[in-house]
Amino acid sequence: MRTGGGSDSTRGYFAMVNFGGRAGALPHDLVLALYQELRARGASGLQDIASEMGLSEDETDRCRDELLGLGLVVPTGPSHDNRLELDAGMASEEESDALTVIPPEIALLRLLERERTRLRNHLDQADRAHRTLKTLAGNFLHAETLSLTAGVEVEIIHDYRRIQQVLEDITDAVRDSLSSMHPIVGGREIPERALSRDRRQIENGVQVRSIFSRHLMSVPQDAGHLRAKAELGVQVRLAPYVPMNMIIADEQFAVLPVDPEDRFAGAILARGSALVRSYRALFEHSWHMAMPVNEQRRPPHGRDSLTEQQRAALRMLASGMKDEKIARHLGVSLRTVSRMISDLLQELEASSRFEAGVRATRLGWLD
């Protein structure tokens, strides 16, 4: 078997491309020996040389793939055909298993050129991406809507698909808090889609708070949906009355109905903290008056156990009326009012007059 003399350039090229370090690679000397034999013979049939070297079919195929990958050999083809041999009826080189050897210096130059072309293409892609981002930032991104000192922009949306896309966009944009209130569960929206958005927001560290109408807990399907939200980490509260659908994101975006009485009339998308802060104040008031969905503490009796006089006193108490004025309205002594209020505080398990008013409202005792 002829192995030929391996030049320093050949060995240097194999070392440079780190042939021996690739996973699953054949022994370095085996591929090098095959290359040197091919180089000594010129364009030669691979199977004949591999047979002489005692290589298995698998080793031969792997050696061929390695050498082709390194650019050290190329299959012969029509460009290598000999006209005299073709005239004599011999097959074209394209149909043979012959390989033509490429000097390592040429293979290295080609490898460097391929890398340079690849890097140039990556730079071109980066330049195009930069131009696209610059166009978006300059022409389409309203930076003022993201600023705390932003002005106000209002968009009326009638298309349901556009409304859903706005909700998805807000889900991606919100960073700190998302607050919402809903007279009903879902509406036209698929409940699972809403839960999916909740899950993404909770996973991103967003504080999610939702207020729902208290009567929804009497509907098993709706009650299950509210409990599922709570299990995800959403802070859910129930209120005797929820005036309309509303979603507030980071005090920068608010989505509310065009007509609270007609949920199919469309939605208003408000941008800018100057306007959104007002809606946030409405939400915070409703949140303060609502009761957690998993609230376990309940007064032992209901409002039906109160006398008419106690109900009247409770309504006046919740309105902030002083004891003296309550006594005059009821036509009783100040001492009687004090005792009545003490009984109401105990009945509501409240520690203060203010808390008693809040809890009475949450429980619907003032309806």
Side-chain angles (χ1 to χ4, degrees), residues 2 4 25 44 57 61 88 91 103 126 139 196 217 230 274 279 298 303 328 330 333 344 347:
R2 290 184 299 166
S44 306
E57 182 177 349
D61 290 341
N139 299 338
S196 176
M217 291 303 291
Y279 296 121
R298 294 290 186 273
R303 68 175 182 175
R328 286 198 299 272
L330 295 178
S333 67
L344 288 172
E347 182 73 12

Side-chain angles (χ1 to χ4, degrees), residues 11-215:
R11 295 183 182 276
Y13 180 79
F14 273 81
M16 184 178 299
V17 298
N18 193 25
F19 168 80
R22 289 198 295 265
L26 291 167
H28 180 284
D29 291 341
L30 182 59
V31 181
L32 179 59
L34 178 59
Y35 173 76
Q36 291 172 340
E37 189 67 25
L38 287 167
R39 191 173 186 185
R41 299 191 187 191
S44 306
L46 179 63
Q47 294 299 330
D48 293 339
I49 297 178
S51 178
E52 293 178 14
M53 294 179 62
L55 301 180
S56 66
E57 182 177 349
D58 178 64
E59 289 175 329
T60 302
D61 290 341
R62 292 170 63 188
C63 284
R64 183 179 188 276
D65 291 342
E66 292 290 348
L67 292 173
L68 285 171
L70 295 172
L72 290 170
V73 297
V74 295
T76 57
S79 62
H80 302 89
D81 283 337
N82 183 314
R83 183 175 59 84
L84 296 178
E85 291 180 349
L86 292 176
D87 291 343
M90 298 181 65
S92 169
E93 289 285 347
E94 191 174 18
E95 301 174 12
S96 72
D97 69 339
L99 298 174
T100 297
V101 176
I102 305 299
E105 296 85 354
I106 301 300
L108 181 59
L109 289 174
R110 288 176 176 173
L111 176 62
L112 293 175
E113 180 62 27
R114 285 199 302 272
E115 285 300 305
R116 186 169 66 176
T117 300
R118 184 179 64 82
L119 292 174
R120 187 184 299 116
N121 291 337
H122 284 177
L123 288 174
D124 290 342
Q125 292 175 4
D127 287 341
R128 286 194 295 271
H130 180 267
R131 288 194 296 270
T132 300
L133 292 172
K134 187 175 181 181
T135 300
L136 286 172
N139 299 338
F140 297 97
L141 179 61
H142 299 289
E144 67 274 11
T145 63
L146 303 178
S147 169
L148 293 177
T149 59
V152 172
E153 291 187 6
V154 175
E155 178 183 356
I156 298 178
I157 309 170
H158 295 289
D159 184 74
Y160 177 74
R161 290 168 297 183
R162 167 73 175 130
I163 294 173
Q164 289 302 304
Q165 187 57 51
V166 166
L167 296 179
E168 291 294 328
D169 293 343
I170 287 178
T171 298
D172 294 334
V174 66
R175 292 292 176 266
D176 299 316
S177 66
L178 187 80
S179 306
S180 63
M181 57 172 61
H182 312 274
I184 63 173
V185 170
R188 285 189 289 177
E189 183 175 38
I190 301 172
E192 288 73 17
R193 184 186 301 155
L195 290 175
S196 176
R197 282 201 299 266
D198 290 337
R199 184 178 296 106
R200 280 182 286 159
Q201 291 156 356
I202 295 296
E203 290 174 351
N204 290 333
V206 176
Q207 180 194 50
V208 184
R209 298 185 295 168
S210 297
I211 304 173
F212 290 89
S213 178
R214 188 177 58 207
H215 76 83

Side-chain angles (χ1 to χ4, degrees), residues 213-215 238-242 289-291 302-304 306-308 310-312 314-316 318-319 348 356-367:
S213 178
R214 188 177 58 207
H215 76 83
L238 305 175
Y241 174 71
V242 178
M289 302 299 290
M291 177 178 289
R303 68 175 182 175
D304 293 338
L306 301 179
T307 65
E308 287 297 329
Q310 286 177 317
R311 287 198 193 94
L314 185 57
R315 281 193 291 269
M316 287 184 275
S319 69
L348 288 162
V358 171
R359 286 185 56 77
T361 302
R362 287 177 175 176
L363 293 169
W365 285 20
L366 303 179
D367 295 349

